[in-house]
Amino acid sequence: MQLVPPDATGAYVIAELGINHGGSSDVARLLMRHAAEAGAHAVKFQYRGSHLYKRSSQPLEIGHELVVQDLERSRLSASVVVDLARYAKTLGLAVGTSLFSIKDLDDFSEWREIFDFFKVPSAELMNRELIQGLIGKLPLLLSLGGHSEDDVSASLSA
């Protein structure tokens, strides 16, 4: 799969399925149908393995606790993401996922062929282990956020 605009518009539209599905496969399917109907070319999940955000026995800042609760509530397992990715393919959509840890890739070891691309979120741009682990597997998109050119160069150096 090439991530190039398939028509004269010059735009390649990727619909985000972050946590907006609220952990519901039905809502995710509805969002994908709407994305396909609106002319999106691809959908992208955000996948965070269960190892990333854990509750702590230590008192946490309220902001951290709210983020953990929201991520737990909206988390989809790898097998559910794969089922949804297969559904997206029936809609003619390419499928990708953002990963936040190289360990997340292991959750998809049986199903990597379902994805057309991987994406590294800007919050993980300096995660060289993640980037190096994804290079060469599939097309790789990097979100740069507010990072400098030096940061980008450092994240891509071996």
Side-chain angles (χ1 to χ4, degrees):
M1 184 207 113
Q2 291 187 357
L3 298 176
V4 295
D7 55 36
T9 65
Y12 190 89
V13 178
I14 301 173
E16 174 72 36
L17 291 170
I19 61 172
N20 50 356
H21 47 69
S24 167
S25 295
D26 292 336
V27 171
R29 288 178 198 282
L30 177 65
L31 292 170
M32 288 187 282
R33 281 196 306 274
H34 287 311
E37 291 166 2
H41 303 104
V43 294
K44 185 192 66 65
F45 296 93
Q46 286 185 352
Y47 181 78
R48 292 171 179 88
S50 59
H51 64 279
L52 278 182
Y53 297 97
K54 300 224 183 247
R55 292 186 183 264
S56 172
S57 59
Q58 303 296 320
L60 300 173
E61 292 181 27
I62 187 68
H64 180 80
E65 186 64 25
L66 292 173
V67 168
V68 169
Q69 288 173 7
D70 201 31
L71 291 173
E72 286 175 349
R73 179 185 57 78
S74 61
R75 186 176 180 282
L76 298 171
S77 69
S79 61
V80 170
V81 170
V82 168
D83 288 342
L84 291 169
R86 288 184 177 126
Y87 176 71
K89 299 279 186 163
T90 70
L91 299 173
L93 296 166
V95 179
T97 188
S98 289
L99 300 175
F100 291 77
S101 164
I102 195 61
K103 291 178 184 176
D104 294 344
L105 189 60
D106 293 340
D107 292 350
F108 296 102
S109 61
E110 299 174 46
W111 305 298
R112 282 189 207 158
E113 75 283 348
I114 195 73
F115 297 109
D116 298 296
F117 62 94
F118 289 125
K119 181 177 170 281
V120 174
S122 60
E124 295 299 327
L125 184 67
M126 301 309 294
N127 185 339
R128 291 179 65 197
E129 178 186 28
L130 174 61
I131 292 170
Q132 294 303 317
L134 293 174
I135 288 175
K137 302 246 185 301
L138 290 172
L140 180 61
L141 305 176
L142 301 175
S143 282
L144 305 181
H147 288 280
S148 69
E149 188 174 337
D150 288 341
D151 289 343
V152 174
S153 295
S155 71
L156 293 174
S157 65

